[in-house]
Amino acid sequence: MTPFQMNLYVVDDDEAVRRAIALLLISRGFKVQAFASGDAFLEGAVLDAPGCVILDLRMDGLSGLQVFEHLRTSASPLMVIFLSGHGDITLATEAMRNGASIWLPKPCSDERLLDEVQRALAASAEVATRQAERRQAVQAWETLTPREKAVAQLLSLDLPNKEISRRLVPPCDPRTVESHRARIYDKLGTTSVTEIARIATHATAAERT
């Protein structure tokens, strides 16, 4: 069971295809939102929540590739399954290299589509979990003072207090490092060096973006 509310979308400008896919998914217990264009999808979908988008590659207005690029650059956790004709294999292959879940030809068997939807939803849940962990790490890190951040970075190297005190700029007494260490443990909610290193890595990566 995933703790996330998973969203499932069908985006296709062919009404017959859009309706058929939506009805198939609904018949298997999924809640589905269908959109006739990429623009409508980007305006009406929840892009920062996990789920799966069954996306037509070629559409009037925004193409499937343009929609996918928008999702990719905005770091959306949504997974994309492209549906397209055999003539679009090159475009679909390029999209998959950039992170799309899979390309399926039109027509596609019901069972194959359903299998890929399940895989895409599971992958999206994993992405959303990692994103949530990074956000929590950054939030916890930002509760530290600049001096505590410097100490935490050295703590993540599993250094003793005496060595940390020597490396700090300016240096300080090892007993002061011990006081910093206690506050860091309390604010970050952990005494694990590995966990402190993980939090520091996520936080510094976020600062660079």
Side-chain angles (χ1 to χ4, degrees):
M1 292 291 290
T2 172
F4 300 105
Q5 175 64 48
M6 305 296 286
N7 297 312
L8 185 54
Y9 305 102
V10 179
V11 185
D12 199 307
D13 58 2
D14 186 320
E15 182 177 0
V17 173
R18 188 171 67 248
R19 180 184 294 272
I21 294 174
L23 289 175
L24 169 65
L25 295 169
I26 291 170
S27 73
R28 300 303 176 92
F30 291 104
K31 293 183 178 180
V32 184
Q33 285 182 271
F35 297 92
S37 70
D39 294 285
F41 164 71
L42 293 178
E43 291 176 7
V46 182
L47 304 183
D48 60 355
C52 173
V53 186
I54 301 170
L55 182 61
D56 189 21
L57 192 58
R58 291 188 183 274
M59 297 182 290
D60 292 334
L62 287 179
S63 70
L65 283 177
Q66 288 173 312
V67 173
F68 170 70
E69 183 63 19
H70 180 92
L71 296 175
R72 190 175 69 86
T73 56
S74 62
S76 171
L78 288 168
M79 293 291 113
V80 174
I81 296 175
F82 276 116
L83 288 179
S84 67
H86 288 285
D88 295 325
I89 291 177
T90 301
L91 290 176
T93 301
E94 177 185 349
M96 289 177 64
R97 282 200 299 267
N98 289 329
S101 296
I102 198 167
W103 166 77
L104 295 175
K106 288 183 178 179
C108 173
S109 73
D110 292 352
E111 292 309 313
R112 175 73 188 284
L113 178 59
L114 291 166
D115 285 346
E116 296 302 340
V117 165
Q118 293 284 12
R119 291 190 184 95
L121 290 174
S124 182
E126 291 179 3
V127 170
T129 297
R130 290 194 298 269
Q131 290 179 341
E133 289 174 349
R134 285 195 293 269
R135 286 193 298 269
Q136 291 168 1
V138 171
Q139 289 169 359
W141 185 259
E142 289 308 310
T143 66
L144 303 181
T145 66
R147 187 67 162 178
E148 288 167 351
K149 288 179 181 178
V151 173
Q153 291 280 11
L154 295 170
L155 276 176
S156 70
L157 302 177
D158 201 17
L159 298 175
N161 290 349
K162 184 175 181 180
E163 180 64 17
I164 292 173
S165 68
R166 187 185 67 80
R167 293 196 187 191
L168 285 171
V169 180
C172 67
D173 188 275
R175 289 173 295 181
T176 303
V177 172
E178 183 60 35
S179 297
H180 286 311
R181 183 193 290 261
R183 288 193 294 272
I184 290 165
Y185 288 164
D186 181 61
K187 290 181 178 181
L188 298 186
T190 183
T191 60
S192 165
V193 170
T194 301
E195 181 65 8
I196 291 172
R198 185 190 70 82
I199 292 172
T201 298
H202 285 322
T204 52
E207 289 172 356
R208 290 195 295 268
T209 59

